[in-house]
Amino acid sequence: MKETSYNPQLSRRKFISNLGCLTISFSLIGTDWAEAKPKIVEENLPGALRRQPRLDAWLEVLGDGRVRVLIGKMELGQGVRTAIAQVAAEELDLALNQIEVHLAETERTPNEGYTAGSGSMENTAMSVRYAAAFARQKLLEMAARRWQTESDQLTMANGVVSRKGKKQTLRFAQLLNGAQLEGEVKLPVKLKSPETYRYVGKAIPRTDIEQMVRAQALYVQDLRMPGMVHARVVRPPVYGSKLLSFDEQAFASKAPDLLKTVIDGTFLAVVAADEYQAVLARQSALEHARWSSATPLPEGQDLAQYIRGFPAKSQKVKEQGTTEALDQKDGKTVKASYFKPYQMHGSIGPSCGVALYKEGTLHVWSHSQGIYPFRDALAKMLGLEAEKVHVIGVPGSGCYGHNGADDAATDAALVAMAMPGTPIRLQWMREDEHAWEPYGSAMGMEAEARLDDTGKISHWRYSVWSDGHSNRPGGNPGNLLAAWHLDKPFPQPSMGYFGGGYRNSEPYYDIPNLKIDAHAFEGPLRVSSLRSLGAYANIFAIESLMDELAEKARQDPLDFRLAHSTDERAIAVMKKLGKMIENEKNGPNEGIGLAFSRYKNVASYCAVAAKVAVDKNSGEVKVLGLWAALDAGQVINLDGVINQTEGCLIQATSWTLKEEVGFGQQQISTRDWTSYPIMRYTEVPKVQVVVIDHPELEPLGAGEAAQAPTAAALVNAIYRASGKRIRNLPVKSVDEVG
């Protein structure tokens, strides 16, 4: 696939006009066309396409016959470009190299909100599928009218329409003849039958992997422009601290290469022509700035208990039957409390943004997960019209949720506004990333269940305590870090989306009586969306308790789960996992544990097993193997699904065994990789993933499915290896378990 370059010197109008493309958009009602067993869908268009049904919002036919697909999603390492190209090439009968995928860009691609929640395949890929199928149908109709024949007498391949039995062909560009046809995608749309697929379901390699391996320019961190200068932000030492004074004259004398100092309230940035000089200037600026103190953090508190002491807004998630039997003291009930600490995204590449303010328009290059919501928030913060802020999505090195991408781009924009006409590249320092990014909330869970005389769960009661799980920009400047520090600051809003806190809090099992409650608190640290939101902690608690219940019922853990499952797809992934590990043998101090979940209880099914060894002397846990069986509906790119699942397994293992945001009374203390360790390459175990494909079904997002059950599989394995139940994360050492 050919990729377009990012050129801030071109206006959007010139950029589009210079591409030599012919935009196609149709409003005609379809007629029959030749295709083996077409799938006719009569219900609704996919969500994103339903909201923006104009075909020219999704597809452009270029002058050379290739097709450019426009999507509002970002490439976050999930391989969305490749998967989207597969879907479009399939429906348009094109080769993969004839499809170009253009990532999120305001006023150019559809507004698809955020790239989050494993929704790119369910929403974007399906929107592109319908748009491409509709375009194919219309192109055939146009050719049929040109030749005064029927559509079923035509074929299409590699951007050329041919007439059966005739030596008549028309390339897409010839057929359109420079016209721009307007209209909307309308039902019915005939989709290709899975039996005819050439690309969908195959393991198509991503074209950007080679660029990564060769360390070629790929990420926003790599972006360079003529005349670009470099900036760094000088952060306050703690949350809530204010800039009292800055000795700019003394600072300037020690920073001879300084181009500019930008001060707006507590926001302080330095600019230099060379990046290293900007780093040195930042260090010097820290020595000449005086800051106020702020509200102390709860150092030394038992965080698991501390978060339950916050004022909380409680809500009933679900109640079914009665749970009074859980209060009986007859030995049939198992009850336990669980805890997950604050965790960070830990992006390998520190967040970065590039900005240029020129001729009244602010151009911003960012790895934001939501370019339109970010644009709206940034425009309000700066007092600009939204149309005067042009955001171009560029992949970033590491994401996993709402990290510092929007904030770094905001920092760059503030500096760019102070230096019109100059491209500004602003990258965070590692300590900025670790100390100021929005974390995943600490969470407390309490679960209890009762077994009946047959060993089945009869009653279940569950409570979860959590901060919010989404404070994304969402058009609100108060969710941008720099907006808190301006001379006229925007206050940080109260808790964002709390639904993420009780995501997957309801067990996906057949239990007649249950009660689920959620308690929302506002904690001391900045929080937002981290991969899988609350599902990771909730499934850790639920599947740990399921293991204890299985033991109490004297049943095999897998059989116990199967006995409580009625969903055939859930049963299938659990049985597949059982087959994957049936020949694994445990040595001394080794154990195998498993867990299951259905992501959000409506998306992908995933069963995970882990094998660990526990050192009897040190209590150190070594992970020997990880297995996952996954059902994500129809597979678009098999390689992508496997890669994402492997990534989930390894990252969740790192969370479970190592990761915890630490803080003292004054500030975040985990500001580097030594104080916040993550899993190293040498610690990665053997990993095996099996995907159950359902080409007859719609695809389900797979990017977060394995994140949730991995923690429980690990701690259940640790129990079998050591006899100790883990209820507080991270594990670090089994000897630390009381």
Side-chain angles (χ1 to χ4, degrees):
M1 294 178 290
K2 181 180 178 182
E3 298 182 1
T4 57
S5 60
Y6 304 101
N7 186 347
Q9 307 303 326
L10 291 176
S11 69
R12 279 160 285 172
R13 184 183 301 276
K14 289 180 180 178
F15 182 77
I16 294 170
S17 65
N18 287 346
L19 290 173
C21 69
L22 298 172
T23 303
I24 57 175
S25 177
F26 303 94
S27 60
L28 301 173
I29 301 299
T31 58
D32 291 340
W33 48 275
E35 187 56 69
K37 299 180 182 178
K39 180 181 178 182
I40 303 177
V41 181
E42 299 285 357
E43 299 174 356
N44 293 303
L45 295 172
L49 184 61
R50 192 182 319 139
R51 295 188 299 271
Q52 299 169 91
R54 290 183 59 86
L55 190 55
D56 59 355
W58 296 90
L59 300 175
E60 294 175 348
V61 174
L62 308 183
D64 60 5
R66 293 179 301 118
V67 171
R68 176 179 292 126
V69 180
L70 308 171
I71 62 171
K73 298 292 187 180
M74 275 292 292
E75 175 59 72
L76 304 174
Q78 76 277 42
V80 66
R81 268 194 177 122
T82 303
I84 294 297
Q86 288 174 254
V87 170
E90 201 74 78
E91 297 296 339
L92 283 164
D93 280 321
L94 292 169
L96 282 175
N97 62 8
Q98 291 179 292
I99 299 291
E100 175 187 309
V101 179
H102 187 85
L103 297 177
E105 180 180 353
T106 56
E107 299 182 39
R108 176 135 170 74
T109 64
N111 182 353
E112 295 194 77
Y114 294 104
T115 306
S118 301
S120 294
M121 292 302 100
E122 292 180 79
N123 297 309
T124 305
M126 293 304 95
S127 294
V128 171
R129 170 175 282 173
Y130 275 68
F134 191 76
R136 182 184 195 277
Q137 185 173 324
K138 296 305 128 188
L139 287 165
L140 287 170
E141 289 176 359
M142 292 175 67
R145 287 196 298 272
R146 178 81 65 90
W147 288 323
Q148 296 185 339
T149 185
E150 299 297 324
S151 295
D152 60 9
Q153 298 301 306
L154 307 177
T155 61
M156 182 183 291
N158 299 322
V160 176
V161 179
S162 303
R163 189 173 180 183
K164 294 178 182 178
K166 305 281 187 180
K167 292 184 179 181
Q168 291 179 300
T169 61
L170 283 169
R171 290 183 291 107
F172 285 177
Q174 291 175 310
L175 186 58
L176 292 169
N177 196 29
Q180 293 189 6
L181 303 176
E182 299 181 354
E184 298 181 352
V185 178
K186 295 182 178 180
L187 295 173
V189 175
K190 298 179 182 179
L191 306 176
K192 289 289 186 69
S193 172
E195 296 89 49
T196 68
Y197 286 164
R198 299 170 299 151
Y199 303 119
V200 169
K202 306 296 191 300
I204 305 296
R206 287 170 52 183
T207 57
D208 55 355
I209 296 295
E210 183 178 350
Q211 292 176 272
M212 297 178 195
V213 172
R214 295 182 180 277
Q216 296 173 345
L218 176 68
Y219 300 120
V220 66
Q221 286 90 346
D222 303 319
L223 196 58
R224 297 293 186 272
M225 300 175 187
M228 174 182 284
V229 298
H230 299 268
R232 287 294 189 273
V233 175
V234 183
R235 298 280 179 213
V238 294
Y239 289 159
S241 182
K242 303 295 183 183
L243 181 63
L244 297 177
S245 65
F246 180 65
D247 191 340
E248 194 167 356
Q249 184 175 358
F251 162 64
S253 67
K254 292 186 178 181
D257 297 309
L258 185 74
L259 294 178
K260 192 173 184 65
T261 302
V262 178
I263 303 176
D264 186 338
T266 295
F267 178 81
L268 172 59
V270 294
V271 187
D274 177 79
E275 184 172 15
Y276 183 58
Q277 294 302 324
V279 172
L280 293 179
R282 172 190 172 276
Q283 186 60 40
S284 178
L286 284 168
E287 300 169 3
H288 293 86
R290 290 180 54 249
W291 310 88
S292 68
S293 59
T295 305
L297 295 174
E299 179 185 20
Q301 302 277 359
D302 180 347
L303 197 56
Q305 292 300 319
Y306 184 78
I307 62 175
R308 296 194 190 191
F310 283 114
K313 296 180 181 179
S314 300
Q315 67 181 86
K316 185 186 301 180
V317 178
K318 185 168 184 178
E319 186 168 13
Q320 176 178 291
T322 178
T323 57
E324 294 178 359
L326 287 165
D327 300 321
Q328 299 178 21
K329 307 296 184 181
D330 56 7
K332 293 183 178 181
T333 297
V334 177
K335 181 177 181 179
S337 295
Y338 304 89
F339 171 73
K340 164 205 167 287
Y342 289 100
Q343 292 169 327
M344 64 178 67
H345 298 80
S347 300
I348 298 300
S351 295
C352 181
V354 175
L356 170 65
Y357 183 59
K358 187 175 181 179
E359 298 176 356
T361 296
L362 177 65
H363 305 272
V364 180
W365 290 260
S366 174
H367 50 121
S368 169
Q369 285 188 290
I371 59 165
Y372 278 95
F374 169 56
R375 178 201 65 176
D376 294 344
L378 184 61
K380 290 176 184 176
M381 189 191 87
L382 297 173
L384 296 174
E385 295 294 326
E387 293 73 21
K388 293 296 183 180
V389 179
H390 173 213
V391 182
I392 305 98
V394 187
S397 177
C399 180
Y400 324 119
H402 176 201
N403 62 357
D406 302 281
D407 297 319
T410 301
D411 295 340
L414 281 167
V415 177
M417 294 289 288
M419 298 180 69
T422 302
I424 306 295
R425 178 184 178 275
L426 190 148
Q427 181 169 298
W428 278 14
M429 303 297 290
R430 173 53 56 191
E431 61 185 272
D432 294 332
E433 191 77 30
H434 273 37
W436 289 96
E437 69 147 74
Y439 305 121
S441 176
M443 294 175 62
M445 295 74 65
E446 192 168 281
E448 54 184 325
R450 178 182 175 85
L451 296 173
D452 64 19
D453 294 335
T454 68
K456 294 287 289 290
I457 302 173
S458 58
H459 300 78
W460 182 283
R461 188 156 57 201
Y462 185 86
S463 293
V464 56
W465 288 261
S466 177
D467 205 330
H469 283 262
S470 183
N471 283 296
R472 300 179 187 277
N476 189 334
N479 284 323
L480 298 172
L481 178 60
W484 311 349
H485 297 151
L486 299 178
D487 184 51
K488 295 181 179 179
F490 291 82
Q492 184 179 10
S494 57
M495 177 183 296
Y497 171 61
F498 179 62
Y502 55 82
R503 177 177 289 180
N504 278 102
S505 59
E506 180 185 347
Y508 199 71
Y509 296 107
D510 185 15
I511 301 174
N513 302 284
L514 56 80
K515 186 173 187 291
I516 315 292
D517 292 311
H519 310 282
F521 65 82
E522 292 188 44
L525 304 188
R526 185 188 185 200
V527 295
S528 193
S529 304
L530 179 61
R531 195 174 192 176
S532 82
L533 307 190
Y536 168 80
N538 286 319
I539 293 300
F540 158 60
I542 291 169
E543 288 294 298
S544 294
L545 191 70
M546 286 294 289
D547 220 56
E548 293 195 51
L549 290 166
E551 184 177 46
K552 188 174 185 66
R554 298 181 180 179
Q555 294 183 33
D556 174 83
L558 180 58
D559 292 339
F560 184 75
R561 288 169 171 81
L562 291 170
H564 289 84
S565 300
T566 55
D567 187 327
E568 289 300 323
R569 293 172 72 180
I571 292 169
V573 296
M574 284 191 271
K575 287 185 174 180
K576 175 60 72 174
L577 181 72
K579 287 290 185 182
M580 293 169 69
I581 63 174
E582 64 181 352
N583 294 323
E584 284 292 321
K585 306 298 182 185
N586 288 323
N589 306 310
E590 294 180 357
I592 297 176
L594 56 87
F596 161 81
S597 73
R598 185 180 184 191
Y599 187 49
K600 304 180 190 175
N601 283 1
V602 296
S604 295
Y605 302 78
C606 188
V608 172
K611 182 176 182 178
V612 306
V614 177
D615 188 294
K616 291 183 65 175
N617 297 318
S618 67
E620 179 184 357
V621 177
K622 181 178 181 181
V623 184
L624 304 176
L626 295 166
W627 296 263
L630 180 81
D631 173 356
Q634 182 188 63
V635 173
I636 303 298
N637 187 311
L638 179 60
D639 191 50
V641 172
I642 292 174
N643 288 343
Q644 288 188 80
T645 305
E646 290 174 343
C648 279
L649 293 168
I650 294 167
Q651 184 181 46
T653 298
S654 183
W655 286 359
T656 303
L657 300 183
K658 294 176 176 288
E659 299 187 37
E660 179 179 21
V661 173
F663 49 88
Q665 190 177 60
Q666 292 300 315
Q667 62 182 9
I668 302 297
S669 57
T670 46
R671 292 179 173 237
D672 52 37
W673 294 122
T674 300
S675 55
Y676 190 91
I678 61 175
M679 202 167 187
R680 294 178 175 273
Y681 286 117
T682 55
E683 298 172 295
V684 175
K686 65 175 183 179
V687 178
Q688 183 183 356
V689 175
V690 172
V691 178
I692 301 173
D693 190 12
H694 286 283
E696 76 284 1
L697 301 177
E698 296 297 316
L700 299 171
E704 298 168 296
Q707 204 81 18
T710 301
L714 285 163
V715 299
N716 291 338
I718 290 170
Y719 173 74
R720 281 165 179 75
S722 68
K724 294 188 176 182
R725 288 284 180 192
I726 305 295
R727 297 192 176 100
N728 291 344
L729 299 180
V731 178
K732 293 185 179 177
S733 170
V734 173
D735 281 353
E736 297 177 12
V737 180

